Amino acid sequence: MRPEIELLLCCTRTQVSPEHKIRVRQLVQDKIDWQYLLVAAQWHSVTPLLYWQLKAICPEAIPSKVLQKIKKYFKINVQRNFFLTSQLLKILKEFKRQGIEVIPFKGSILSATVYNNIVLRKFYDLDILVREDCVLKAKKILENFGYEAVIPLDEKQENLRLKTNYEQEFFHETLKISIDLHWGLAPPYFSLPLSIDNVFARSQVFEIAGTKISVFSPEDSFLVLCINGAKDGWLGLQQICDISEFIRVRPQMDWQELLKYAQQLGCLRMVLLGLNLANKVLDSPLPLNVKAEIEKQPQIHLLSEQVCHRLFGESKTYLNRLQLVYFTLQLQQGTLQKLRYCWGLACPVNERDLAYISLPSIFFPLYYPIRLGRLIFKYGLGGSGK
């Protein structure tokens, strides 16, 4: 492992142990390629933590130009985070006024509830969850705030998207803010029976900037982190750090019950992979029963090695579409769930198929062969899948 990556890993945590502090001081005395370190921190979206810890541990050992550059990134992130949070609270206030239950998550909420500091985590957009029967009202509120759907849909496409998807992206051109409006927490092809009504019933009250809002229960919050990591193929160090910090702030978590809950939902492998990555990459302590469960599934170690090689090797890369499909397929539990995953991914007609060609309702069944042909052309004939 390059010393720059080891230094980055030592700093990517809100609480640095005495041993890691000693190692940080040792590493900065070596021939560190500071440009490589800064690029890696940006790529992994952990520049705020890198600056925070270097400033606290050994600022005198960091080249002044390097420290000033990281400080500049940090200040920009602080301003952006507070701006995004202020806009989120304005929107939540309007949802409350109109009687729509909403749960914000990820972004500033994760920063506040897990990192205990809104400036230590970089985030780019806002995510809110509503019940499916409130989606149209929620969209109207967002439109009144100046947000527009990134992919405009007609009424037929919108109705189909509600059935075949779980989110829709909106963008404010003036403010340059993206909002993902969710009515589900995982792609339908994951086939996870996670009841949104139950998620709302289990939600808790949290206060941020003097405003009381609803947030996920700890159990649901952790599952969402692991599901998102699996869905994205674990994009970078930040997603692993989210898991590690959650473990740190929830020392009394009943992990046995959580694993049981994950098993019932069909996402146990996703949860075990998240836990194993946090342990392997950031030294997060795991209870013996969690370690024992991981040892029962050797594939978890294999997938962890693949993720680490991809993220921390010489050539950091993202998974392409087909690689991502295969990665998430391996996290499905059992043959039946794997078949459901493949069916759910390939077969349901979605709004993109309707946009590809417009057919009268009587010819709707023709969309299925059209979809198959479109997917083969997109992914099977040398297409990039983008």
Side-chain angles (χ1 to χ4, degrees):
M1 179 184 294
R2 291 185 58 135
E4 295 84 6
I5 296 299
E6 186 181 355
L7 178 57
L8 189 62
L9 295 181
C10 287
C11 293
T12 304
R13 57 197 80 208
T14 59
Q15 304 292 325
V16 180
S17 69
E19 294 78 15
H20 281 113
K21 288 181 180 179
I22 292 173
R23 187 58 182 149
V24 167
R25 294 189 182 99
Q26 292 173 341
L27 286 167
V28 296
Q29 298 302 323
D30 293 338
K31 292 183 178 179
I32 292 292
D33 184 336
W34 294 103
Q35 182 60 27
Y36 183 95
L37 176 65
L38 296 185
V39 170
Q42 288 287 89
W43 194 87
H44 286 285
S45 297
V46 294
T47 305
L49 281 172
L50 177 65
Y51 170 73
W52 190 262
Q53 299 303 352
L54 288 180
K55 178 176 70 73
I57 297 170
C58 54
E60 72 287 346
I62 313 301
S64 59
K65 288 185 178 180
V66 173
L67 195 60
Q68 287 302 313
K69 191 171 185 178
I70 311 177
K71 183 178 180 180
K72 180 181 178 182
Y73 289 149
F74 182 81
K75 286 186 173 181
I76 292 173
N77 184 68
V78 169
Q79 295 170 354
R80 180 67 175 172
N81 283 10
F82 277 112
F83 176 63
L84 286 171
T85 303
S86 67
Q87 296 303 310
L88 173 65
L89 294 177
K90 288 179 183 179
I91 292 169
L92 295 180
K93 182 178 180 181
E94 182 61 21
F95 272 74
K96 183 177 181 180
R97 191 186 72 81
Q98 296 202 28
I100 300 176
E101 283 190 279
V102 58
I103 301 179
F105 63 106
K106 298 198 288 189
S108 55
I109 306 305
L110 187 58
S111 301
T113 58
V114 174
Y115 288 68
N116 294 322
N117 191 330
I118 199 173
V119 305
L120 293 184
R121 185 179 185 275
K122 186 174 184 178
F123 53 93
Y124 305 90
D125 56 10
L126 304 173
D127 293 83
I128 57 177
L129 174 72
V130 299
R131 290 184 171 88
E132 185 176 326
D133 58 5
C134 294
V135 169
L136 295 181
K137 290 181 180 179
K139 291 174 65 174
K140 187 65 176 178
I141 292 175
L142 294 179
E143 289 168 356
N144 289 340
F145 271 97
Y147 292 86
E148 297 181 355
V150 172
I151 303 177
L153 305 173
D154 60 30
E155 184 178 355
K156 185 163 65 172
Q157 290 173 324
E158 282 193 353
N159 291 334
L160 187 59
R161 187 178 182 89
L162 283 174
K163 297 182 179 69
T164 62
N165 215 309
Y166 70 113
E167 64 178 352
Q168 186 171 5
E169 183 182 0
F170 292 79
F171 185 71
H172 197 297
E173 184 62 40
T174 302
L175 301 179
K176 305 301 180 185
I177 296 177
S178 291
I179 293 183
D180 288 333
L181 175 64
H182 298 253
W183 53 94
L185 292 173
Y189 53 82
F190 269 26
S191 301
L192 304 180
L194 185 58
S195 167
I196 299 304
D197 286 335
N198 290 342
V199 169
F200 273 94
R202 288 189 296 266
S203 65
Q204 301 177 354
V205 176
F206 181 79
E207 187 171 313
I208 182 170
T211 302
K212 292 182 178 180
I213 61 173
S214 295
V215 297
F216 292 146
S217 69
E219 294 78 12
D220 287 328
S221 180
F222 190 77
L223 287 183
V224 168
L225 290 177
C226 293
I227 291 169
N228 276 328
K231 173 180 66 70
D232 297 336
W234 295 96
L235 285 172
L237 181 55
Q238 186 192 63
Q239 289 186 318
I240 300 174
C241 185
D242 291 342
I243 300 294
S244 180
E245 290 299 315
F246 185 97
I247 294 171
R248 181 186 63 81
V249 299
R250 295 287 178 182
Q252 304 304 319
M253 189 79 170
D254 189 337
W255 292 105
Q256 191 63 43
E257 280 300 310
L258 181 66
L259 294 183
K260 181 180 177 182
Y261 181 36
Q263 175 71 44
Q264 292 170 348
L265 291 176
C267 59
L268 178 61
R269 286 184 181 176
M270 301 178 199
V271 169
L272 293 177
L273 179 57
L275 288 166
N276 196 51
L277 284 170
N279 174 254
K280 181 179 178 65
V281 176
L282 295 173
D283 312 304
S284 294
L286 298 181
L288 291 177
N289 59 332
V290 172
K291 290 183 178 180
E293 196 64 42
I294 291 173
E295 292 305 317
K296 293 178 184 177
Q297 305 200 35
Q299 194 172 32
I300 298 300
H301 288 295
L302 177 61
L303 291 173
S304 297
E305 290 291 340
Q306 291 175 3
V307 171
C308 290
H309 178 74
R310 176 164 44 85
L311 295 183
F312 308 121
E314 284 299 317
S315 56
K316 298 180 287 293
T317 58
Y318 295 118
L319 296 176
N320 63 38
R321 181 62 177 171
L322 289 180
Q323 289 171 331
L324 183 57
V325 166
Y326 181 63
F327 179 85
T328 51
L329 175 64
Q330 296 175 84
L331 292 170
Q332 308 304 311
Q333 296 175 197
T335 302
L336 182 58
Q337 189 170 334
K338 284 182 169 64
L339 290 173
R340 287 175 179 166
Y341 170 83
C342 294
W343 175 266
L345 188 65
C347 294
V349 174
N350 60 35
E351 74 282 355
R352 290 183 292 278
D353 300 305
L354 270 63
Y356 184 75
I357 184 172
S358 180
L359 297 174
S361 299
I362 192 172
F363 294 123
F364 187 87
L366 292 178
Y367 278 113
Y368 291 98
I370 290 173
R371 174 174 174 76
L372 181 60
R374 187 174 69 84
L375 291 178
I376 291 174
F377 179 79
K378 188 173 183 180
Y379 300 115
L381 298 178
S384 65
K386 293 180 181 179

